[in-house]
């Protein structure tokens, strides 16, 4: 039985846009023209008027007859703002990740990354960050306090208006403000008029995006696939770089991305790691870490010639494939490596026996093989392949070469297999599956394909802002997983963002428990 939440027959949630000033409300109405079920409410300037509207929002009945009482419509606060942070220009948009009131209290806006991403795709320049609410825009002390609290811009209403959610904690709310000035310029000057015009123009163009945001709001169920995120090989590789950084005062270089994830690489760069594409970028005698995907013997030989201090973070499961390649080549076999051209793991494995190996990416490649001895054909696999994808090619190999030899044990790593099985376990009950992972992560892309083969739309996202609101419209059940190179925090961030679209009920389906740990190389064991 499907676990999807049923909302059949429910009217769409009615969007209420709170715009403090008449000009702001007019701009928003123009942008929302043609969008059914949206109300633009002029709420007035300042704390007193905003507080009154907040109470009205809290006390109001349902905007749409027949809508379940537990599901109030979404609220958007939209208007102009004053810049506090450098880099904000008139006409830019600020999407509040939180709103800080005059007393320092904070109201979170968890759906901010989703709205900001949608606005960027629509062509806006968007800044995400805290928004400060002050009682007087011209009060320099209040603006300074807001800036000290981390606010990137200020207004006079948002904190008071968001209090309208108090009676309905599950009510989605977002704040988008258009910048009308520069942080370095005083408000009362002729350029403020020009900046205000630019802000209103930008504000008016947000209407269609606000409508898409509202259409994506609803209560929903979240199904987490288990296991997900880091595998033992990835954890080992990251720890190797961290230990190398901790034990060295000199720069630590890493050849290629240590694992295929932008968040991991960025985090290590911030700690001092220097990522390079080739050893030619590494100074003689420096420390260099080889990535988890492995390297060809020629790379190791170059490092040795240049007296580089090497630390090998190759995943032990990839090293196993390398050893099998050498063994088959030594025994005179033509080795068909099933994998994807250009992937670093494939390049490293092919380099183990370049004269005896050939890359096979499809059934057509199998048909084109011309071994010197058809009785001496072997095959190996890239560790991050889909089992279904690799199985089709293996079947074709065995049909053409019945005596072909395979690896002593499955080359596709346990983590890849487990995560694909976990996706299958949730895909059937999900309206859409979101896979956290970077575009160059093979195992993450295979998770998308696995969900799609189960008949469920699936999307690879590197950042929460990559999620398109149309994917979520009408999706009452969202499946979430993460590739073996994606940090667990990526999943937490997605769930948090979804909670900003309405209440979420989170459950997990675990198909396997992973307890494997790999030892560290001697070079960093004591670090």
């Amino acid at each position: 039985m499907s676990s999807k939440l049923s909302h059949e027959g429910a009217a769409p949630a009615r969007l209420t846009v709170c715009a403090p000033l008449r000009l702001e409300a007019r701009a928003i109405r123009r942008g929302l023209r043609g969008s059914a079920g949206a109300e633009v409410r002029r709420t007035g300037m300042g704390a007193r008027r905003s507080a009154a509207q907040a109470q009205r929002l809290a006390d109001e009945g349902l905007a749409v007859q027949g809508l379940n009482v537990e599901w109030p419509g979404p609220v958007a606060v939209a208007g102009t703002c004053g810049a506090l942070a450098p880099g904000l220009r008139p006409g830019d948009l600020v999407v509040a990740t939180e709103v800080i009131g005059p007393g320092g209290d904070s109201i979170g806006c968890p759906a901010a990354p989703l709205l900001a991403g949608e606005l960027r795709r629509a062509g806006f320049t968007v800044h995400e960050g805290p928004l400060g609410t002050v009682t007087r825009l011209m009060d320099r002390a209040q603006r300074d306090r807001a800036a000290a609290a981390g606010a990137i811009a200020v207004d006079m209403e948002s904190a008071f208006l968001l209090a309208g959610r108090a009676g309905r904690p599950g009510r989605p709310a977002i704040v988008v403000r258009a910048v009308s000035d520069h942080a370095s310029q005083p408000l009362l000057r002729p350029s403020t008029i020009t900046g205000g015009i630019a802000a209103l123009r930008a504000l008016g163009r947000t209407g269609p995006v606000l409508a898409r945001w509202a259409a994506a709001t609803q209560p929903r169920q979240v199904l987490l696939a288990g296991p997900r995120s880091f595998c033992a090989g990835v954890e080992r590789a990251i720890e190797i770089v961290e230990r190398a950084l901790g034990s060295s005062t000199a720069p630590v270089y890493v050849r290629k991305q240590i694992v295929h994830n932008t968040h991991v690489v960025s985090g290590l760069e911030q700690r001092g790691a220097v990522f390079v594409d080739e050893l030619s970028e590494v100074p003689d005698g420096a420390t260099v870490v080889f990535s988890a995907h492995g390297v060809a013997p020629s790379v190791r030989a170059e490092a040795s010639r240049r007296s580089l201090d090497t630390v090998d973070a190759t995943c032990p499961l990839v090293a196993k494939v390398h050893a099998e390649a050498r063994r088959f080549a030594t025994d005179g076999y033509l080795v068909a490596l099933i994998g994807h051209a250009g992937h670093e793991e494939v390049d490293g494995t092919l380099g183990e026996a370049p004269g005896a190996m050939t890359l096979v990416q499809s059934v057509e490649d199998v048909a084109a093989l011309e071994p010197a001895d058809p009785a001496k054909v072997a095959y190996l696999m890239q560790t991050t392949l889909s089992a279904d994808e690799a199985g089709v090619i293996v079947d074709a190999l065995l049909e053409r070469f019945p005596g072909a030899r395979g690896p002593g044990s499955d080359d596709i790593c346990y983590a890849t297999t487990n995560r694909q099985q976990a996706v299958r376990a949730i895909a059937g009950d999900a309206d859409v599956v979101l896979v956290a992972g970077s575009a160059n992560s093979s195992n993450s892309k295979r998770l998308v394909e696995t969900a799609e083969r189960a008949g469920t739309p699936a999307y690879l996202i590197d950042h929460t802002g990559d999620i398109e609101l149309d994917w979520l419209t009408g999706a009452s059940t969202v499946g979430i997983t993460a590739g073996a190179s994606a940090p667990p925090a990526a999943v937490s961030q997605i769930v948090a963002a979804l909670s900003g679209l309405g209440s979420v009920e989170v459950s997990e389906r675990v198909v396997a428990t992973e307890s494997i740990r790999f030892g560290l190389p001697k070079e960093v064991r004591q670090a």
Side-chain angles (χ1 to χ4, degrees):
M1 179 182 295
S2 172
S3 64
K4 296 177 183 177
L5 298 175
S6 176
H7 294 278
E8 293 182 5
R14 180 183 178 89
L15 169 64
T16 300
V17 182
C18 297
L21 303 181
R22 179 180 286 108
L23 288 174
E24 295 166 341
R26 185 181 300 164
I28 292 292
R29 286 193 186 98
R30 283 199 301 268
L32 283 170
R33 194 171 294 150
S35 298
E39 175 197 3
V40 179
R41 184 177 299 180
R42 182 190 167 202
T43 55
M45 177 185 285
R48 183 177 59 81
R49 293 182 178 89
S50 298
Q53 288 292 337
Q55 188 60 50
R56 180 182 170 192
L57 283 169
D59 293 343
E60 278 177 344
L62 295 173
V64 181
Q65 187 177 5
L67 195 63
N68 189 300
V69 136
E70 282 75 31
W71 177 234
V75 174
V77 178
T80 59
C81 66
L84 291 182
L88 273 65
R89 302 175 60 84
D92 291 356
L93 297 181
V94 171
V95 176
T97 55
E98 62 176 314
V99 176
I100 304 170
D105 53 312
S106 175
I107 302 171
C109 301
L114 302 177
L115 179 66
E118 200 76 10
L119 288 166
R120 289 189 181 102
R121 286 187 288 276
F124 292 93
T125 299
V126 182
H127 307 267
E128 295 174 67
L131 177 74
T133 293
V134 297
T135 56
R136 292 182 62 233
L137 280 178
M138 296 304 300
D139 188 322
R140 175 54 61 182
Q142 288 193 53
R143 289 169 67 95
D144 289 346
R145 282 197 297 272
I152 63 173
V154 288
D155 68 9
M156 294 177 58
E157 298 87 16
S158 292
F160 305 111
L161 287 167
L162 286 189
R165 292 188 302 170
R168 302 182 185 280
R171 190 170 200 172
I174 49 93
V175 177
V176 57
R177 292 278 186 166
V179 179
S180 62
D181 65 353
H182 294 272
S184 59
Q185 296 176 347
L187 286 174
L188 294 180
R189 58 181 295 158
S191 61
T192 304
I193 298 175
T194 304
I197 294 171
L200 289 172
R201 285 175 177 166
L203 198 63
R205 293 189 292 115
T206 65
V209 178
L210 294 178
R212 288 200 293 276
W213 172 78
T217 60
Q218 69 171 82
R220 48 178 44 93
Q221 186 174 30
V222 171
L223 297 179
L224 301 180
R228 60 185 177 275
S229 297
F230 285 165
C231 64
V234 166
E235 290 177 336
R236 174 181 181 269
I238 295 171
E239 185 176 358
I240 287 171
V241 178
E242 290 174 340
R243 288 188 172 224
L245 288 169
S247 63
S248 176
T249 56
V252 172
Y253 295 84
V254 183
R255 184 184 181 275
K256 307 293 187 181
Q257 291 188 349
I258 185 67
V259 297
H260 284 159
N261 187 267
T262 58
H263 300 281
V264 171
V265 171
S266 175
L268 292 173
E269 281 180 330
Q270 291 172 16
R271 297 183 60 175
V274 181
F275 288 86
V276 299
D277 286 328
E278 300 298 341
L279 292 185
S280 58
E281 302 171 61
V282 180
D284 291 348
T287 297
V288 62
V289 179
F290 295 145
S291 79
H293 311 102
V295 298
S298 59
V299 176
R300 298 180 192 277
E302 180 185 350
S304 179
R305 283 195 306 271
R306 297 185 49 214
S307 300
L308 297 178
D309 184 11
T310 61
V311 185
D312 192 357
T314 301
C315 174
L317 299 181
V318 174
K320 163 186 166 288
V321 178
H322 286 193
E324 290 168 331
R326 293 192 297 270
R327 175 170 57 86
F328 280 133
T330 299
D331 291 343
Y333 283 82
L334 171 66
V335 184
L337 176 62
I338 303 171
H340 297 293
H343 192 278
E344 287 154 31
E345 179 187 328
V346 167
D347 291 343
T349 304
L350 290 172
E352 291 290 344
M357 299 190 72
T358 186
L359 179 62
V360 173
Q361 300 186 80
S362 65
V363 171
E364 290 72 24
D365 288 345
V366 173
L369 288 176
E370 295 182 0
D373 183 352
K376 300 208 76 173
V377 174
Y379 64 88
L380 298 171
M381 301 177 193
Q382 180 182 332
T383 63
T384 54
L385 292 182
S386 158
D388 294 339
E389 171 190 24
V392 170
I393 298 176
V394 170
D395 289 345
L397 271 167
L398 292 176
E399 182 177 351
R400 186 172 175 207
F401 306 105
R405 293 184 58 186
S409 59
D410 196 355
D411 280 346
I412 297 178
C413 93
Y414 75 94
T416 298
T417 299
N418 287 345
R419 281 152 187 73
Q420 290 172 12
Q421 291 174 346
V423 164
R424 292 189 193 98
I426 65 170
D429 286 333
D431 298 303
V432 64
V433 171
L434 303 177
V435 178
S438 295
N440 61 342
S441 168
S442 175
N443 77 86
S444 298
K445 289 192 286 189
R446 304 294 84 77
L447 293 176
V448 172
E449 294 167 0
T450 300
E452 290 175 337
R453 279 195 293 272
T456 303
Y459 303 95
L460 181 66
I461 58 169
D462 203 356
H463 301 271
T464 309
D466 294 338
I467 300 172
E468 297 186 22
L469 292 171
D470 287 346
W471 302 344
L472 303 175
T473 302
S476 59
T477 303
V478 177
I480 302 177
T481 189
S485 53
V491 172
S492 301
Q493 290 162 2
I494 295 171
V495 174
L498 293 179
S499 74
L501 298 176
S503 58
V504 296
E505 177 187 336
V506 181
S507 59
E508 183 179 26
R509 295 187 182 173
V510 179
V511 301
T513 301
E514 296 175 350
S515 58
I516 293 176
R517 290 278 299 173
F518 295 130
L520 298 172
K522 62 180 180 6
E523 291 86 355
V524 296
R525 226 170 272 157
Q526 301 303 319

